[in-house]
Amino acid sequence: MGRTRNDIIKLPLWDIEEPNARIHLERNENPFDLPPGLKKELFSELAQIPLNRYPPTFPLEVEAKVAETLGLSSENVLLANGSDELIGLILKLFEGDRVVISSPTFGMYSFFAAVEGLKVENVPLGENFELGNIEAHAENARAVFICSPNNPTGNVQPRKRIIEVLETGAPVVLDEAYAEFSRESSVGLVKDYDNLIVLRTFSKAFGLAGARLGYAVASEETMGQLRKLRPPFSVNSLSLAAAGFMLNHLDYVRKIVRYIVSERERLYRALKPYAYPSEANFLMIAIDAHDFLLEHGIAVKKLSGRLEGYVRATVGRREENDVLLDALREFLEVVL
Ligand code: PMP
């Protein structure tokens, strides 16, 4: 097995930006940049950073701060250049010839599997997007990916199911990129399961998508190994300082999360029965309005395959959400 040059030629190039839109609800970003006062404060901290020097090889201070928010220690946390980088690293850590995913889900698991030349085994999510019998496929898997809340469906997988998969002993990657917007997280399970790696990010709730920072959480032993695979300077000094800054402003982060959750619920109520319940910062909507919305300057993500005819809309600012709602109402009047 292994990947060939031909496999690389077959990989698609990324094309996920909608440059012509006025309202961007296609990439699950945080709709708020830092308010000017906080941004100024952060930038004056950044001004002190010597750019001729490499960042710390082990950004222990920020990792310790992250760990504190989770009730864990810095040995359990590894920062990297976005959680995307961590997906690639995790696939180098374990053995086994297959990656198990449950579609519809985040595309990067299959992307990195392809980069590694690994087979992808898909155990589709059920009717209500619950996990299928992935335990039956766990043996010899290099990693079993569980995305919760799942992108793009928005639902959380119950802890009980996650434990059942962990009990197989296979390496389980639990992607909690949207956990801050949901009611429950299973990150605490790393205390009991050595085969669990949880992925989190600063790109969503923390609003730092442009700084590229994600982190993995795992047992001390598993993390000790993963730490060795991360290139020494993949987290740059500026991003590191931005993460430290946000961790010193958790009240602000929590306020933004509350706003997004309340806007999500408002959108959900307004779009019932077309919207699916979500515990993330986006909604999956069963309205085939991608092109219509784009003509009205609003970018959302067009879904495909089993979700053909659906869109995924990121929760934006109140006024952006109002524009989205008006446009969707207009669309429904035209098509119904
Ligand atoms: N996991 C999921 C489920 C995501 O939706 C995303 C971003 N779209 C990521 C991971 C990537 O996060 P990061 O920006 O930290 O690479």
Side-chain angles (χ1 to χ4, degrees):
M1 273 278 290
R3 152 184 79 54
T4 65
R5 196 70 184 269
N6 213 17
D7 293 330
I8 298 182
I9 293 167
K10 280 191 242 150
L11 285 173
L13 266 182
W14 299 114
D15 179 20
I16 53 172
E17 275 172 287
E18 300 274 18
N20 298 323
R22 177 165 51 89
I23 296 180
H24 286 277
L25 306 176
E26 76 274 42
R27 295 206 287 183
N28 294 345
E29 293 155 337
N30 192 313
F32 295 102
D33 194 2
L34 275 179
L38 284 182
K39 203 163 188 181
K40 207 169 154 206
E41 214 182 294
L42 169 61
F43 276 39
S44 67
E45 280 184 27
L46 298 184
Q48 309 300 315
I49 294 174
L51 292 179
N52 59 322
R53 300 292 176 196
Y54 284 105
T57 320
F58 299 109
L60 284 177
E61 216 177 292
V62 179
E63 284 173 350
K65 263 192 195 168
V66 171
E68 202 185 309
T69 67
L70 305 170
L72 296 164
S73 86
S74 64
E75 279 82 27
N76 301 113
V77 173
L78 180 70
L79 279 165
N81 193 292
S83 39
D84 284 350
E85 181 183 33
L86 289 159
I87 297 169
L89 292 182
I90 289 166
L91 292 184
K92 294 180 194 300
L93 178 63
F94 298 109
E95 283 151 27
D97 58 356
R98 294 167 304 117
V99 161
V100 179
I101 65 158
S102 295
S103 77
T105 194
F106 186 46
M108 288 307 244
Y109 316 138
S110 300
F111 168 79
F112 280 109
V115 169
E116 290 294 320
L118 293 167
K119 215 175 108 202
V120 176
E121 196 169 352
N122 180 22
V123 184
L125 295 174
E127 203 182 331
N128 298 311
F129 306 113
E130 74 281 10
L131 285 177
N133 184 11
I134 43 178
E135 294 92 317
H137 302 263
E139 201 178 323
N140 291 328
R142 186 167 298 197
V144 176
F145 283 92
I146 301 175
C147 188
S148 179
N150 185 46
N151 177 7
T153 56
N155 59 308
V156 164
Q157 303 298 345
R159 184 170 312 161
K160 183 172 163 286
R161 281 299 288 125
I162 293 165
I163 291 174
E164 283 163 1
V165 181
L166 284 166
E167 287 291 335
T168 64
V172 173
V173 182
L174 175 63
D175 187 342
E176 289 198 336
Y178 302 96
E180 291 89 348
F181 305 102
S182 77
R183 277 168 299 170
E184 77 172 40
S185 155
S186 293
V187 72
L189 291 176
V190 300
K191 289 182 189 156
D192 303 319
Y193 292 92
D194 229 18
N195 53 329
L196 173 63
I197 300 180
V198 180
L199 296 181
R200 292 284 194 91
T201 181
F202 279 88
S203 300
K204 311 295 176 185
F206 286 85
L208 291 184
R212 308 304 303 127
L213 267 167
Y215 57 94
V217 187
S219 73
E220 224 172 283
E221 197 185 325
T222 301
M223 201 48 97
Q225 295 160 12
L226 190 62
R227 204 177 294 285
K228 291 183 182 169
L229 295 180
R230 198 202 53 182
F233 308 123
S234 70
V235 179
N236 71 74
S237 315
L238 302 176
S239 298
L240 204 54
F245 184 85
M246 296 313 291
L247 290 164
N248 287 339
H249 291 85
L250 286 177
D251 284 348
Y252 167 77
V253 175
R254 290 190 188 112
K255 193 176 96 190
I256 298 293
V257 167
R258 280 197 300 275
Y259 176 105
I260 292 170
V261 168
S262 114
E263 277 298 290
R264 179 189 74 202
E265 294 309 306
R266 182 174 77 90
L267 279 174
Y268 173 66
R269 284 192 301 274
L271 290 170
K272 252 173 157 177
Y274 301 99
Y276 284 76
S278 167
E279 297 211 29
N281 68 340
F282 56 82
L283 284 171
M284 184 168 76
I285 307 164
I287 304 178
D288 196 0
H290 173 272
D291 296 354
F292 177 88
L293 291 173
L294 200 53
E295 278 162 26
H296 289 70
I298 309 163
V300 296
K301 187 174 163 72
K302 189 179 173 65
L303 301 177
S304 59
R306 178 178 162 189
L307 301 175
E308 187 66 46
Y310 290 31
V311 296
R312 187 198 67 198
T314 309
V315 179
R317 285 185 242 135
R318 196 160 295 142
E319 59 277 16
E320 295 176 320
N321 300 332
D322 284 340
V323 175
L324 173 73
L325 280 178
D326 285 347
L328 283 173
R329 284 189 188 114
E330 191 187 326
F331 178 81
L332 288 173
E333 265 169 37
V334 174
V335 295
L336 289 183

